[in-house]
Amino acid sequence: MSFAEFLAQLLPILILLALVLLLVGALRRILLWRQGQESTIHWAGLFSIPKRYLVDLHHVVASDKYISNTHVATAGGFVLTALLVILIYLFDVATNILNYALLASSGLMFVGAIFVLMRRINPPPNLSLGPWSRLPYSLLIFSSSFFVLTLPASGLLPIDSGSGLLVILLVAGIVWGMGEMFFGMTWGGPMKHAFAGALHLGLHRRQGRFGGGRSTGLISIDLEKDKLGVEKPEDFKWNQLLSFDACVECGRCEKACPAFAAGQPLNPKKIIQDMVVGMAGGNTAKFAGSTYPGVELGSHKGGAVIPIVDVLLEANTLWSCTTCRACVQECPMMIEHVDAIVDMRRFETMEKGKTPGKGAEVLDNLNTTDNPNGHAPNSRMNWAADQNLAVFGSDVDRADVLLWIGDAAFDMRNQRTLRAMITLLRAAKVDFAVLGESECDSGDLARRLGDEVTFQRLAKINIATMSQFEFKHIVTADPHAFHCLKNEYADFGGHYDVYHHTGFFADLVKNDKIKLNTNNAISLTYHDPCYLGRYNGEYDAPRYLLEAMGINVKEMQRSQSKSRCCGGGGGAAVTDIPGKQRIPDMRMDDAKSTGAEIVAVACPGCSQMLEGVVEPRPQVKDIAELMLDALSDEEA
């Protein structure tokens, strides 16, 4: 028997063995995921995997053109090559068309693998090493082996080409390549994401993220039935465990994380990999990427039934998160890091009562005074004593607009923004009213700090209050309240048409209800609030208003969807986990680099954080204040 004949008989056995081991590994991984809690299975999503992979996932990857093109060549070439190999060499469906198609697909995969190798020669610090370092070589061996093997079958080389040594090398290459590409897909290694990632896209916990949709509100828990948060890995929903397994360790989340950049003990990539360790058991010593700043690598361990905090990771890692969603925005596998962090915070807060810094005090204040700073509820409208505002319940029962004041009512700096808004609404002759002392905190801060009980209590109170009155829209200057009212109150029956003040004012300007002077030669940059931008996709309205005032915005390098957080979200300002530098200082440095004299903001939290930066620095002004300054003489 010739070597060629021997190879022809051996190859189907090797392919079949690899596929059987792949299926056994798949069952093993599924059993790991099923350790988690029950969650809705979206079977229809499985049929949408190709579209989600080619469209939704690729939209995220496409922000880096090098990786985007590499991914198309490598992943596309691999999928086609794997299918053709099974057809030709396992099922013996051999035609010249299929042979040439296999040559083309394996050649495409080889080219993509070259670019993967080039990136791995001098990798950026966010990329994990370890098993991932062998990925380009495995891709090259798999693609080149089947390319060379198919040359004689396609007629491009004589059928008896090559020596016994070549056949031996081909067998070795095929065994190695299929071991990494097929066997390794479910048993661990750099191709694990191909199996877990595809299923994650289909069975994603947030089906609304696909097809151009947006799903950013935290998922509610049933306080009567569900465990109050996540204590152990098995407390996560099973499809959350699946999502952790889909991580490719690319480190895009790490690169975008403001807390990691500030030297706080958080790395979103490490958190996801720690959850994999917790699910499967073991320790963190094998992690081949950047650890949490200031935390020794390999000093933690985990298991499905072992508590996470203080065993698998430190509590301060959870409390460093600003919930800015930059990690989620950047993740090519669409993993929900923030959901996992808040789920673990819920257990720390509600079951253990361990909320660090001033967090416990803030939560106590919310429970006793319905506002985070403990101000007397009947002082909520003191700032507006001279504004003659219409109040729902005492003055009117209906209005076109409910103006949501928020906690800016208790802050002298942000009261300026509220006064500017009132002047602008009156200039546009908008029929509006406020809830007055009946308004409670939106509950955003309580929810991000893990106190779901307080959030749900506040949400239900506010919904009951608003149900007594008639209005068409809610307008607020606070992106956090905007997000809660728009995206999170619906779970409790609160369905509203909510505007951020920049969106509402943009419509008024477009319809000539507000006229602005256009000769403002101001040196200005704009800071995108996380809860307005990444959470709700509003980037255009603030810029439209600035341009309508004749202002040429000097964009920071990190702007719009890639904007750097100010450091005030997610309760980070009250938990106050130390790092090497402060996040607002970093953001102000971004602003200074543009040479702008003013930083325009659209969030009371951002105003406070950025104005807390030591001078000299640019002046910080809300867009409503800038509009008031630019209001035409006639309107004024």
Side-chain angles (χ1 to χ4, degrees):
M1 180 185 295
S2 68
F3 283 113
E5 291 173 331
F6 172 73
L7 184 59
Q9 293 186 20
L10 178 62
L11 195 53
I13 297 172
L14 292 175
I15 295 172
L16 186 60
L17 178 62
L19 293 176
V20 168
L21 289 173
L22 183 150
L23 292 174
V24 172
L27 178 61
R28 173 176 167 271
R29 298 222 75 80
I30 290 170
L31 291 175
L32 285 175
W33 305 331
R34 294 300 293 174
Q35 295 175 106
Q37 303 303 303
E38 289 300 317
S39 181
T40 303
I41 300 179
H42 303 279
W43 294 111
L46 293 175
F47 299 102
S48 302
I49 289 175
K51 181 180 178 182
R52 292 176 179 182
Y53 185 85
L54 294 170
V55 178
D56 298 282
L57 184 149
H58 191 67
H59 279 333
V60 181
V61 179
S63 63
D64 184 330
K65 294 300 181 185
Y66 182 97
I67 295 301
S68 174
N69 295 331
T70 300
H71 186 260
V72 168
T74 309
F78 166 67
V79 171
L80 289 173
T81 299
L83 291 173
L84 289 168
V85 163
I86 292 170
L87 279 175
I88 296 171
Y89 295 107
L90 180 60
F91 293 107
D92 199 26
V93 183
T95 67
N96 272 340
I97 293 176
L98 291 181
N99 287 330
Y100 279 110
L102 179 54
L103 287 175
S105 64
S106 57
L108 179 65
M109 181 180 174
F110 187 87
V111 171
I114 291 292
F115 284 98
V116 175
L117 178 62
M118 289 170 60
R119 189 163 187 256
R120 286 278 167 181
I121 290 174
N122 187 23
N126 53 284
L127 273 181
S128 287
L129 301 177
W132 293 93
S133 298
R134 71 174 187 260
L135 176 62
Y137 304 103
S138 300
L139 294 169
L140 289 168
I141 290 171
F142 180 86
S143 57
S144 60
S145 295
F146 282 103
F147 183 89
V148 172
L149 179 67
T150 309
L151 285 173
S154 64
L156 295 178
L157 286 177
I159 198 69
D160 56 351
S161 296
S163 63
L165 177 60
L166 177 61
V167 174
I168 292 171
L169 290 174
L170 277 178
V171 170
I174 289 168
V175 170
W176 173 270
M178 287 197 303
E180 283 280 82
M181 298 296 109
F182 292 167
F183 175 74
M185 201 181 294
T186 56
W187 286 85
M191 282 299 292
K192 182 184 67 172
H193 71 282
F195 173 67
L199 286 182
H200 165 57
L201 291 177
L203 301 172
H204 201 287
R205 196 173 177 221
R206 293 178 178 270
Q207 294 286 305
R209 284 194 65 184
F210 300 97
R214 185 178 294 277
S215 174
T216 57
L218 286 175
I219 297 174
S220 300
I221 59 175
D222 188 330
L223 299 175
E224 300 296 326
K225 297 179 181 179
D226 295 331
K227 186 172 183 177
L228 299 182
V230 167
E231 177 190 15
K232 301 169 286 188
E234 68 171 11
D235 295 333
F236 283 111
K237 301 297 184 184
W238 68 265
N239 46 7
Q240 285 181 285
L241 296 180
L242 163 60
S243 74
F244 303 150
D245 227 10
C247 176
V248 296
E249 297 190 49
C250 64
R252 288 173 59 151
C253 58
E254 171 189 313
K255 189 177 180 180
C257 178
F260 179 80
Q264 294 175 241
L266 169 63
N267 179 345
K269 179 178 74 174
K270 180 72 162 57
I271 275 191
I272 298 303
Q273 289 305 307
D274 281 352
M275 295 307 103
V276 174
V277 169
M279 173 183 68
N283 61 56
T284 60
K286 293 182 180 179
F287 180 67
S290 304
T291 186
Y292 305 122
V295 179
E296 183 182 353
L297 183 64
S299 57
H300 298 80
K301 60 183 179 180
V305 298
I306 298 176
I308 294 170
V309 176
D310 297 330
V311 179
L312 184 56
L313 52 78
E314 301 297 321
N316 278 355
T317 293
L318 299 180
W319 297 110
S320 295
C321 179
T322 67
T323 68
C324 71
R325 209 172 166 81
C327 51
V328 181
Q329 175 86 24
E330 289 296 314
C331 179
M333 299 310 296
M334 305 182 85
I335 298 168
E336 295 284 342
H337 311 65
V338 174
D339 281 3
I341 289 170
V342 173
D343 281 340
M344 290 184 277
R345 283 184 177 186
R346 283 169 170 167
F347 186 83
E348 290 295 292
T349 292
M350 292 188 287
E351 293 282 7
K352 295 169 67 176
K354 291 187 175 181
T355 315
K358 294 183 179 179
E361 178 185 340
V362 163
L363 294 176
D364 284 343
N365 289 338
L366 284 168
N367 279 304
T368 55
T369 65
D370 295 334
N371 67 80
N373 292 310
H375 297 289
N378 59 9
S379 68
R380 182 176 285 274
M381 294 304 294
N382 286 359
W383 66 277
D386 61 341
Q387 294 297 303
N388 194 27
L389 296 176
V391 179
F392 279 112
S394 58
D395 299 317
V396 297
D397 289 324
R398 69 163 309 281
D400 288 341
V401 168
L402 188 165
L403 177 60
W404 187 273
I405 301 300
D407 294 318
F410 302 110
D411 177 70
M412 291 184 67
R413 189 267 169 263
N414 286 309
Q415 288 167 9
R416 298 204 305 266
T417 300
L418 294 175
R419 291 173 181 273
M421 287 178 64
I422 289 166
T423 302
L424 293 166
L425 289 171
R426 285 175 169 160
K429 297 180 173 57
V430 174
D431 175 28
F432 71 97
V434 298
L435 291 176
E437 295 174 7
S438 298
E439 180 185 305
C440 294
D441 183 271
S442 67
D444 164 78
L445 182 55
R447 188 168 232 197
R448 309 314 132 175
L449 287 174
D451 192 347
E452 184 73 6
V453 174
T454 297
F455 166 75
Q456 291 194 19
R457 180 184 66 81
L458 291 168
K460 289 172 183 176
I461 290 174
N462 284 324
I463 290 167
T465 300
M466 290 187 284
S467 68
Q468 302 173 47
F469 312 114
E470 293 183 33
F471 51 87
K472 297 177 182 176
H473 318 290
I474 299 176
V475 176
T476 179
D478 183 355
H480 296 263
F482 167 67
H483 173 70
C484 278
L485 294 166
K486 179 182 178 184
N487 300 316
E488 298 188 341
Y489 274 28
D491 287 349
F492 311 99
H495 300 275
Y496 309 110
D497 184 29
V498 190
Y499 281 86
H500 185 256
H501 72 310
T502 57
F504 192 74
F505 287 145
D507 286 347
L508 293 177
V509 171
K510 289 175 185 176
N511 293 318
D512 292 325
K513 298 290 182 65
I514 295 179
K515 296 179 181 178
L516 301 170
N517 291 318
T518 60
N519 57 347
N520 292 282
I522 298 174
S523 175
L524 177 148
T525 188
Y526 171 65
H527 164 72
D528 289 276
C530 303
Y531 276 73
L532 183 62
R534 276 188 291 270
Y535 273 80
N536 288 284
E538 182 60 88
Y539 303 108
D540 296 336
R543 289 172 172 80
Y544 170 82
L545 290 171
L546 293 169
E547 290 169 3
M549 292 180 262
I551 299 172
N552 182 23
V553 180
K554 297 181 176 181
E555 293 284 6
M556 288 181 257
Q557 185 175 4
R558 292 187 61 166
S559 64
Q560 300 200 40
S561 65
K562 296 185 179 296
S563 175
R564 193 198 303 269
C565 178
C566 73
V574 296
T575 56
D576 197 23
I577 305 302
K580 293 182 178 179
Q581 55 186 323
R582 297 174 66 248
I583 296 174
D585 292 343
M586 294 164 56
R587 188 53 172 164
M588 188 57 79
D589 286 341
D590 293 341
K592 288 178 181 178
S593 68
T594 67
E597 298 174 357
I598 294 175
V599 180
V601 293
C603 171
C606 295
S607 296
Q608 290 178 323
M609 297 303 292
L610 295 177
E611 285 195 334
V613 175
V614 176
E615 294 183 326
R617 55 162 174 76
Q619 185 181 3
V620 180
K621 299 193 76 170
D622 189 274
I623 287 179
E625 297 175 271
L626 293 166
M627 289 181 67
L628 182 61
D629 294 340
L631 201 61
S632 69
D633 294 338
E634 178 185 351
E635 293 285 343

